[in-house]
Each structure stands twice: as C-alpha cells, then as structure tokens.
Amino acid sequence: MNALGRHILAEVYGCDRAILNDPERVERILVAAALESGAEVREVAFHKFSPQGVSGVVVISESHLAVHTWPELGYAAVDVFTCGDRVEPWDACNYIVEHFRAQSVTATETKRGVFAGVGVEAEVG
Amino acid sequence: MNALGRHILAEVYGCDRAILNDPERVERILVAAALESGAEVREVAFHKFSPQGVSGVVVISESHLAVHTWPELGYAAVDVFTCGDRVEPWDACNYIVEHFRAQSVTATETKRGVFAGVGVEAEVG
C-alpha cells in the first residue's frame, strides 16, 4: 500500500498565551517550521480574531501547515500535512510545539491518499 | 469532555479530473462549501502546481477547509475543521464530494481541543 502523504493532527496544550495571541509571531513560527522540515512555502494566509485567537495556514509545495489558537486556554490545534519522502512533517510539528513553549502534546499521524497500486484510483479504502 | 472543534479528514477518490486541475473551480467549490455549512470566510489561498494539481485553503471564522488534488489519480485530500456548534462540517464535506463528482469517499472525524472541563488547559490527553 502506497500513501501520497502523511497528516499530523497535534493537540498542543499549555502554550505561551502571549505567543498564541500574536499573529505575526505565530505566522513566523509556522513559516519557519515549514522551512525547518525542508518544505517550500507557496502561500501564507493568517487571520487575527477579536478579542483573541489566531488562525493561519501555510500552503507548501508538499501540502500545508495550519494552526488555530485559543490564547485564553493556552491551546493550539496544529496540523501538518506533507506529501512525498523529502519533507519530514514531525520536524515541523516539533518546531511549532517548541516555539509555542507547550507543556503537553498529543499527536496522531494519518496516511493520506492510500492506493493499492499505481494507477488504481477508485474503490480504495 | 468538551471539544472545541471537529476535524474531518476525507479521502475523495474517482473525482472529475478536469475539475481537480482547475484552480478557480476548486476554489469556488471550497468557498461555496464553507458558505453552505454556515461558515464565515476570512482568507483564501490557492496554488496551482505544474504540470498539475491544486492546493488551497479557506480560513473561516470557525477554523478552515483545505484541499490538495492529484488530477492524474482522480484523488483529492480534503479536510474540514470547524469549531463551535453553529457550523456543520459534514455539510461542507458533502458539498465538496458532490461537486468533485467523486465515486468513493472515506472520511473520519476527530475531536479537536478536548478539555475535561472549563478552565482546564493543561495535562489533558
């Protein structure tokens, strides 16, 4: 079975609340995480919510990184989706966790685009 | 246990390949899916790859929708993450599946931001 990509969903708790509420800092961390993992950044879209919270996505050649923060809870929902073998999604995930100064994390990796063989595109799963 | 959000990862197979390779059409479908589910669109970032494939994200007030397409395989990796009770992520997911003219889909829903109670922000999971 071949998978096109790997998708990490990370629950990131006990983060630095000031960082989670600073859209420029969150964006810098996400972009740096993408580069750290060897990804190529294509598009960046971030949004600051009122009174608090940041949502943002970095589209990379190899898929995307996304974050949604709840500063009031010290919590961030992070997902890192990469395809191909060249980029290591856990490097990006670990970079984000470290730079958010998280106290605890739970994360799962899901295979995306699983095909039984080359050229088989339907009736899979 | 309270969850802040719900995150659907959908493997969408047997799609219309022309649609999957048309960035404007993919973007229109994703934005319409967001609106269909009752979400508020905040930011949109799409990218067309050479020779084929589209990646894109719609940041909504309630989190995000993302898509990555492999037209040559008729496959799209879709994820829909919504928080709050007002927006139904499956409405958006089903809209995308229908408008990509998919033949088969497998999808899972994951709870995001699970807290034992209000005000408990660390040592969870």
Side-chain angles (χ1 to χ4, degrees):
Chain A
M1 298 296 273
N2 297 313
L4 294 173
R6 303 152 69 192
H7 198 159
I8 296 170
L9 301 187
E11 308 294 303
V12 189
Y13 296 100
C15 301
D16 182 312
R17 294 170 185 220
I19 294 172
L20 293 194
N21 205 32
D22 181 338
E24 291 175 10
R25 210 154 162 195
V26 171
E27 179 174 331
R28 274 204 306 275
I29 290 169
L30 267 280
V31 169
L35 298 173
E36 181 81 8
S37 71
E40 185 182 27
V41 173
R42 296 290 195 154
E43 309 276 346
V44 175
F46 278 75
H47 189 82
K48 169 83 163 71
F49 291 97
S50 177
Q52 54 196 357
V54 174
S55 279
V57 180
V58 179
V59 176
I60 54 178
S61 295
E62 301 80 6
S63 293
H64 75 256
L65 292 78
V67 65
H68 305 282
T69 76
W70 280 259
E72 71 276 26
L73 297 172
Y75 167 75
V78 170
D79 71 285
V80 180
F81 179 9
T82 63
C83 55
D85 297 328
R86 206 177 55 77
V87 173
E88 174 51 56
W90 289 101
D91 287 349
C93 186
N94 292 338
Y95 183 94
I96 294 165
V97 166
E98 181 187 341
H99 286 79
F100 283 177
R101 300 179 189 156
Q103 288 171 10
S104 69
V105 181
T106 58
T108 57
E109 179 184 316
T110 303
K111 299 273 183 287
R112 304 296 306 267
V114 178
F115 289 84
V118 175
V120 179
E121 81 271 25
E123 306 300 324
V124 176
Chain B
M1 300 295 274
N2 296 313
L4 294 174
R6 303 153 67 192
H7 198 159
I8 296 169
L9 301 188
E11 308 292 304
V12 189
Y13 297 100
C15 301
D16 183 310
R17 295 171 183 217
I19 293 172
L20 293 193
N21 205 32
D22 181 338
E24 291 175 10
R25 209 155 164 194
V26 171
E27 179 174 332
R28 274 204 306 275
I29 291 169
L30 267 279
V31 169
L35 298 174
E36 181 81 8
S37 71
E40 187 183 26
V41 174
R42 295 289 196 156
E43 309 275 346
V44 175
F46 278 76
H47 190 83
K48 170 81 164 71
F49 291 97
S50 179
Q52 56 196 355
V54 174
S55 278
V57 180
V58 179
V59 177
I60 55 178
S61 295
E62 302 80 6
S63 292
H64 75 255
L65 292 78
V67 65
H68 305 282
T69 76
W70 280 258
E72 71 277 25
L73 298 171
Y75 167 75
V78 171
D79 71 284
V80 180
F81 179 8
T82 65
C83 55
D85 297 328
R86 207 178 54 77
V87 172
E88 175 49 57
W90 288 101
D91 288 348
C93 186
N94 292 338
Y95 184 95
I96 294 166
V97 166
E98 181 188 340
H99 286 79
F100 282 178
R101 299 178 189 158
Q103 289 171 8
S104 69
V105 181
T106 58
T108 57
E109 179 185 316
T110 302
K111 299 274 183 287
R112 304 297 305 268
V114 178
F115 290 83
V118 176
V120 178
E121 81 269 26
E123 306 300 323
V124 176

